[in-house]
Amino acid sequence: MDTVVQVVLQLVMKLLPSLGGNAQLITTIINALITIMPVLVKEYKDTMPEIKNIIAALTSDSAVTAEHRVQLRQLSAIADADFDDAVAAAEAEDAAALLAGSGVVTTTGEADLDSALKS
């Protein structure tokens, strides 16, 4: 599946320079992104930079309609939220690892505290 996703994204990236004001092609690409975005967000977080590049290229095309802009903003918001969630998870993981390595007691139980103080 990874290969298929990468091939599709590469194909879309190659199509971008030839948009040339083709609103129908822009609609097709946006609809494809809307369809595959949930899968990409869930399974293929490493594709987000490519998705953001596609969204940026589509947004800058002269044939983009108001409806296209709304859809592209929504897709961009999904990609941004996913990135923010990944950053928050990584920061939480780093903080937990730092606390675990520092010897800081993170439990509040009295037996746990007594045990930690004796060690």
Side-chain angles (χ1 to χ4, degrees):
M1 184 69 160
D2 292 339
T3 304
V4 172
V5 169
Q6 290 299 327
V7 168
V8 169
L9 290 176
Q10 288 173 6
L11 178 62
V12 171
M13 293 293 288
K14 287 183 189 257
L15 285 173
L16 293 176
S18 64
L19 289 175
N22 186 337
Q24 185 177 8
L25 181 56
I26 292 171
T27 299
T28 300
I29 293 171
I30 290 172
N31 287 338
L33 288 175
I34 290 169
T35 301
I36 66 173
M37 187 66 97
V39 174
L40 295 177
V41 167
K42 183 177 178 188
E43 301 293 333
Y44 303 102
K45 294 181 190 301
D46 56 331
T47 63
M48 282 305 119
E50 291 163 308
I51 297 298
K52 294 294 283 181
N53 289 340
I54 292 169
I55 291 168
L58 292 173
T59 301
S60 68
D61 193 275
S62 62
V64 170
T65 65
E67 182 180 351
H68 289 148
R69 288 195 193 287
V70 169
Q71 292 171 322
L72 290 166
R73 280 191 207 113
Q74 290 170 342
L75 287 168
S76 184
I78 291 168
D80 289 343
D82 176 61
F83 179 78
D84 292 344
D85 290 348
V87 168
E91 288 173 348
E93 188 176 297
D94 291 347
L98 185 62
L99 282 175
S102 70
V104 171
V105 178
T106 58
T107 59
T108 57
E110 193 173 309
D112 292 334
L113 182 59
D114 288 340
S115 174
L117 292 172
K118 290 178 183 174
S119 24

